Amino acid sequence: ETGVTQSPTHLIKTRGQQVTLRCSSQSGHNTVSWYQQALGQGPQFIFQYYREEENGRGNFPPRFSGLQFPNYSSELNVNALELDDSALYLCASSFLGELQGYTFGSGTRLTVV
Amino acid sequence: GQQLNQSPQSMFIQEGEDVSMNCTSSSIFNTWLWYKQEPGEGPVLLIALYKAGELTSNGRLTAQFGITRKDSFLNISASIPSDVGIYFCAGQSQSGNTPLVFGKGTRLSVIA
C-alpha cells in the first residue's frame, strides 16, 4: 500500500507567477485535503476534494484553486503568487468520514521571491 | 484562520524525563487528535480521541479528551532521543468531513 506522494518537494517561484502542486492519494482513499503550513505555524486548511468536486474550503482567496482526478489524485493551483504564499503545502488523503485514515504527504516547500 | 492554543511552545528535557503538553480552544470539538512532525515530513497521527473524558494510550504516549470538550493533553513518559520533533494538536468540530484545526505546535528537544 503506497502512501501519499507529493511533487515537487521544493519549488522557487517569483512573485506574480503561477504554480501547480501535485498529490497522489493513498490507495483506497477517495478524499484529498490541502493544507498550508507557514514557518512556525500549524497547518491551515485550504480546501478538500471528494468525487472531483470541492467539498469544503478554508479562508483562502479564489486564486487558490484545485482539481481532483478520477484516480483521486489532486492538484493545487495558486495564481498571482505573493511573498506570503511561501510555505509548506501539505496534502492529506482519506476515505470520506474516516479520520483515522487521514494520511499526510511530506509536503511541497514553496518559496516565493 | 482559526488555531488552537497549544502550550508550551517549546521544551528542552533530559532523556528519561516525562513530558506534558496541552491544547485549549474557545469552541467545542467532537474529535481531538495529536500528531508528530519531523523535519522534511508531514504530520503523522499519534493518538485520536472521540469522546469527552476519553483517555487513550499508544506506547509511552497518553492523551486525554477534556470533559468540557474544549481541551486535550498529551503526555510522553520516559522520553528518548527519537521523541524529538514538533507535536501538534488538532480538533474537528463535527463528525465526518469537517476540516482539522491545528495548534501552533510544541517543539520538543531531548538532551541525551
Side-chain angles (χ1 to χ4, degrees), chain A residues 18-19 46-47 49 54 57-67 75-82 85:
Chain A
Q18 178 266 344
V19 69
I46 303 174
F47 44 55
Y49 277 81
E54 190 177 289
R57 188 178 183 93
N59 189 25
F60 281 81
R63 59 190 185 83
F64 285 78
S65 63
L67 285 171
E75 285 182 356
L76 164 66
N77 298 291
V78 187
N79 292 323
L81 284 166
E82 301 177 359
D85 295 333

Side-chain angles (χ1 to χ4, degrees), chain A residues 31 35 37 40-45 48 50 55 59 88 90 94-107, chain B residues 1-3 31 33 35 37 40-45 48 50 88 92 95-105 107:
Chain A
T31 303
Y35 285 78
Q37 187 176 18
Q41 303 292 318
Q44 293 275 334
F45 175 70
Q48 181 182 80
Y50 170 64
N55 188 35
N59 189 25
L88 180 69
L90 295 164
S94 60
F95 192 82
L96 188 67
E98 266 188 23
L99 201 54
Q100 284 278 17
Y102 209 102
T103 305
F104 282 90
S106 297
Chain B
Q2 182 187 5
Q3 282 199 324
T31 305
L33 304 145
Y35 287 86
Q37 188 175 27
E41 300 294 328
V44 174
L45 182 65
Y50 301 105
F88 290 97
Q92 190 185 41
S95 302
N97 221 27
T98 51
L100 300 182
V101 178
F102 282 83
K104 289 189 176 183
R107 182 180 295 274

Side-chain angles (χ1 to χ4, degrees), chain A:
Chain A
E1 170 179 281
T2 58
V4 176
T5 305
Q6 292 187 241
S7 63
T9 55
H10 296 83
L11 201 52
I12 299 175
K13 287 286 190 178
T14 303
R15 191 170 48 181
Q17 284 188 314
Q18 178 266 344
V19 69
T20 298
L21 311 181
R22 295 179 175 83
C23 173
S24 295
S25 59
Q26 182 167 309
S27 175
H29 287 175
N30 59 10
T31 303
V32 174
S33 303
W34 286 91
Y35 285 78
Q36 181 195 65
Q37 187 176 18
L39 203 60
Q41 303 292 318
Q44 293 275 334
F45 175 70
I46 303 174
F47 44 55
Q48 181 182 80
Y49 277 81
Y50 170 64
R51 290 188 175 176
E52 303 175 50
E53 291 194 2
E54 190 177 289
N55 188 35
R57 188 178 183 93
N59 189 25
F60 281 81
R63 59 190 185 83
F64 285 78
S65 63
L67 285 171
Q68 187 182 31
F69 300 99
N71 67 354
Y72 305 123
S73 66
S74 177
E75 285 182 356
L76 164 66
N77 298 291
V78 187
N79 292 323
L81 284 166
E82 301 177 359
L83 297 179
D84 283 349
D85 295 333
S86 296
L88 180 69
Y89 288 86
L90 295 164
C91 165
S93 75
S94 60
F95 192 82
L96 188 67
E98 266 188 23
L99 201 54
Q100 284 278 17
Y102 209 102
T103 305
F104 282 90
S106 297
T108 294
R109 172 73 63 189
L110 173 66
T111 302
V112 182
V113 297

